[in-house]
Amino acid sequence: MTYSMFDVVFYGAGAFSVVTTTLAITRTNPVYALLNFVMSILGIALVIFVLGAPFAASLEVIVYAGAVVVLFLFVVMMLNLAHLKTDFGVKRGRSVRLAVPGVLVISIIIEIGIAFSGRFGKETTYHIIGPSAVGRQLLVADIIPIELGSMLLLAALLGAFHLARLSPERGRQ
Amino acid sequence: MINLSWQAPASLAIILFALGLIGLITRRNLIFVILSIEVMLNAVALLFIVAGMRWGHPDGQVMFIFILNLAGGELALGLVLLLRLRARITTLDGDSANILRES
Amino acid sequence: MGNIIWIIPAAPLIGSILLGLFGARWSNRWSGFIGTLSIVISALLSVAIAVHWFQDPPVDEHMRIMLWRWISLPEYSSYIEFYLDPVSLIMMLVISVIGLLIHIFSTEYMAGEAGYSRFFAYLNLFVASMLLLVLANDLLVLFVGWEGVGVCSYLLVGFWFHKAANGYAARKSFVVTRIADVAMLVGILLLSNALGTVSIQPMLAKAALLWPHGGIMAAAGAALLLIGGLGKSAQFPFQTWLPDAMAGPTPVSALIHAATMVTAGMYLVIRLYPLFALVPSVLTVIAVGAVITILTASLTALVQRDIKRVLAYSTVAQIGYMFLALGVGAWSAAMFHFLTHAVFKALLFLSAGAIAMRLHHEQDIFRMGGLRQKLSVVFWAFLIGSASLAALPVVSAGAFSKEMILASLWESPGLGKWLWLAALFGAVLTATYIFRVVFLVFFGEVKTEPTGHYGVRIVVPLVLLAIAASTIGWLEMPKFMASSSVFSSFLEPVLGHPATESTLPHWVTAAGYIAPLLGVVIGFGLYRSGYWVRTAGPVGQGNDGGQAERSMGEGVRRFMRAGFGFDFLYDRLLVQPFLWLVKILRNDPIDAIFMSAAAAAMRFHGALRRSQIGQLRRYAGMLALGSMAVIVIMVFA
Amino acid sequence: MSVLFAFLHALALLLAVVTLAAFLTWVERRVLGFWQDRLGPNRVGWQGILQVAADMIKIFFKQDWIPGFADKPTFIAAPIIVLASVLLAFAVIPFGNGVDIVGALNVGLLFFLGMTSLSVYGVVLAGWSSRSKFSLLGGMRAAAQMISYEVFMGIAVIGVVMQAGSFNLEKIVAAQTHIWFIVPQFFGFLAFFIAGIAEAHRLPFDLPEGENELGAGFHTEYSSMKFGMFFVGEYAGIVLLSALSVALYFGGGHGPIFPPIIWFALKSSFFVIFLILLRAALPRPRYDQLMSYGWKLMFPLAIGNLAVTGGVMIALGQ
């Protein structure tokens, strides 16, 4: 079995994103966690690119890394949590409390593994799906979901705006 | 050319999802809760890409776009709530944000 | 001429709407003017139609005018249609003319009362409804008018609604008559179902054609309609509402509860007499019930203190006479008695109102006295009215109509003689109780000093009615006097020729004339001996004999004073069980079943709520567990 | 072999861009001096051209001092991110004559947008890791400004993408054989260029640095070569913006007589000079003015441009 360059890139980027994600969820400093998350996103973007979805990969970088996480970082900086080292959330009965999510997660992985194994075949019809194909699917076949998505965003916008304005505490502080 | 089967990236997505779930369950800090949710969303998005690759259909990427949409909206609201919560309880410990309880 | 019939009920209706909408903003003078004007229009048109009728009777002796189709169903239609024949013409004349006089009286009587325009709005609406009732050619339309007058009666009895007792009286009159009306509605539906129409003339023709004499369907329909009529006319066993209805203003009592509305039951029976003629058993029931009504009401009237209650019971008794006539098939006698009764009872009520007006609304006859000189106009009016009510021979209208009823009773087969005897006894009682009032109120020493004076609007109606009360009886006189039969020949096309009088013995006629005189003599004798004053009973309604001696006679009197205990009986038989049922159902035993389900849900909710602890991570864990379960089910099941 | 060649090719281009950016520091000072009626650096070499070399020597040999209160790994990573993201973006620029790295990338324009959005991290992290108030304020300003302006930058270039039918920059250049997109996409170009200035935080939109308010903004605490990287990154950003404007709106290398690369260089130089002229000519707005300008004027303009473009294209049946 030979490995092509794509395989190498995939496994490298995949391992990279797994490692950075692990780091992201275990950091105590939110900024480091976010940086690791950005790394993970870049790794995933690479994976997506390798999987033949350059458009999605670009969006992953532009939207996720470039807007979503920047916003996140912005809020963290605004909260000025630089020195707020947060603990892991587990104090008493550490082993027991870690065991619960551990068991949960492992059983889910096993379940999904069983569910996936032996299904959907092994062969892959690999070809690159460029932006125009996606665009056609998106704007012709899925025009109603697009509208629903835009309404979702509008609702989120209004909700965020309202929640940010509504400030009963401001008078007291 | 490429001889990557779909199982490997799918497994990657599942691992990332599991990591996000662990983070969601174990972390107290609400920033990390939101972060974990984003990780999970991201993993699901990746899984859709994998499905799109498996069947060679753009629908996978379409779903990816919808998930981005959802993640954006979710994050905006989540962060605003985070700010409000911070103003109210002066900590970001999710466990102490249970003052809705009656007794 | 017939085309303008619709204006007659429409004018008071429009007047009522105008008063209802704008009356509150108008001055009292203007309200009274509008309210009276609308009736003037009706009355003038009625008189014009009547005059025209006499000069040139229409073909087939009736007029019919169809306004529009009301209900249109595949197999059933109902029309807003007016039907005028001699019977309804007389009703219409009485209603509009007496209504006009009472309106004129009211404009002065009600002066200074709060709600002046409201009063006239109600009164106009009443007249409109009543005219609709008598003119309707369709039982459904008639029923609309029927309920309309019921509503107006309720509104006017409770006119001074600030007092709880008035509200109670209004509710009582409303509820009692509604109970009867339900039966009537059932009867109408039954007829419409059985005959396919409730348009009166075709319906009667069909009934006579389809149903055998004494058939069960005819009996059921007639009985159900009769119950409605008994309720409206305050006959046994529905008579209890009318005395309480005297809580309303006196002109209302005169118009509604004496002259017009309470005779609606009689009118219904006459209007549908072919149907009733089919079932002699129902007629017998009418007659027997009427006798019971006459005797109980007359005896009750004998011991009342309140002048208006005396008149109310007398009304019940007089309508009983009409029903008695109906019960023996003397339709035109009933109509004639209706006519005379309407005149003299309106006169009596207006006189009573005029007395009360001058005596600070005093209605207790034992606190009056010696008003003969002080209120001479009213004295003469009341005296003429009383004579007419007592049926004093020759000088009064009532004598001729009552004589006609007595004659037809004597002639009727079966129970006829017994009915005659009871009616004769009732006539004695009538004369006794009304002259008791006359003597107590107008003779003896003055107990309450009258104040103020009468305006022209009081005097004119009284005078006109008094003249009518003494002369209207000459329309129909027995053969041995003048042999005038204008009235019955006028009604003949509708009601048929009255029974012949050839077989009537002279002593029967004489007894009919002597009985009232005997009653007057008894009344005077007991007045002179002071018996009336001694047995006056306690002040007020007289329902409890607190400090009076517990003798046997007093007990009987107390029983009579309370209207033979019908109120008590109904209270125990109907009201108390109902209240008891309500008390049981107050906490809704059926509902408890559902409430227990709700309570269980609440407890379950309380238990579930404990899991809502606000721990985000636990929620997430639960979510993950749930997802796991779903995957297990989807994948492995 | 080809891998090695490609690597050398990329390295050469990289060096060229970096050198060009360094050279621009001298050009800007000289040109500004000329416009502001003063001399500028003119002592080292002919017309002071060696001033670039002198600055480099100085910057390399200054003490590389990291403040004790700073967050060290991030502090070091920030300038690298800035420079790297800008330089990576050059990979998709089609200079003409085959002088590019992946100019034919099918999502080339998106790659550029992604890299510019990544460069935000450098600025934000620099501001945060310095742990000083001026720096933090500068970083946060940069974050908000760049997110805001990137939105309508992306929307503005979609007009070009619609007309060219591709995200591929080479195809976009090829589509301008007959008419430059500046003509049909004039408003798109306005929005794009203004957003580009804000993205590169050049004057007049240099609020993240804002010398008179924030010291030097996000790079207040930086010294030596780390500062140099920001410095070079900024000038590389100017070159990038100019090059992209040319590629998207001014026909790329199209032009008579000269080979495409010469035309590309000439057109880019024009924009570089124009950007320097802007610095000399325009005052700096207030921060809230900047934001409302972006969201309330440029954003609707870009959307309107997009709508009109789409409508006209449908009407013309393209």
Side-chain angles (χ1 to χ4, degrees), chain A residues 32-44:
Chain A
Y32 282 173
L34 284 172
L35 284 182
N36 278 304
F37 185 44
V38 173
M39 297 291 175
S40 148
I41 285 170
L42 293 179
I44 291 169

Side-chain angles (χ1 to χ4, degrees), chain D residues 187-230:
Chain D
F187 291 104
F189 168 71
L190 273 187
F192 169 80
F193 196 69
I194 288 166
I197 295 169
E199 289 275 308
H201 36 86
R202 277 291 299 178
L203 274 159
F205 295 147
D206 65 338
L207 290 152
E209 289 151 43
E211 285 100 340
N212 42 4
E213 305 151 319
L214 302 177
F218 59 88
H219 55 65
T220 308
E221 308 292 338
Y222 281 85
S223 60
S224 183
M225 196 54 216
K226 292 200 195 64
F227 171 73
M229 279 193 253
F230 280 124

Side-chain angles (χ1 to χ4, degrees), chain A residues 29 31-32 35 38 42 49 54-55 58 61-62 64-67 69-71 73-74 77-78 80 82-83 128 130-131, chain D residues 71-74 105-107 110-111 113-115 117-118 120-121 124-125 128 131 136 139-141 143-144 147 150 167:
Chain A
N29 188 329
V31 175
Y32 282 173
L35 284 182
V38 173
L42 293 179
F49 186 79
F55 185 56
S58 310
V61 174
I62 295 170
Y64 240 114
V69 183
V70 173
L71 186 68
L73 201 59
F74 183 79
M77 284 164 68
M78 218 158 104
N80 203 6
H83 307 290
I128 294 171
Chain D
D71 189 274
K72 209 169 173 187
T74 329
L105 185 67
N106 66 348
V107 287
L110 293 174
F111 183 82
L113 287 173
M115 286 307 119
S117 60
L118 281 186
V120 184
Y121 282 101
V124 171
L125 290 176
W128 176 77
R131 298 266 165 83
L136 186 67
M140 289 176 67
R141 279 183 174 190
I147 291 181
E150 191 177 316
F167 283 111

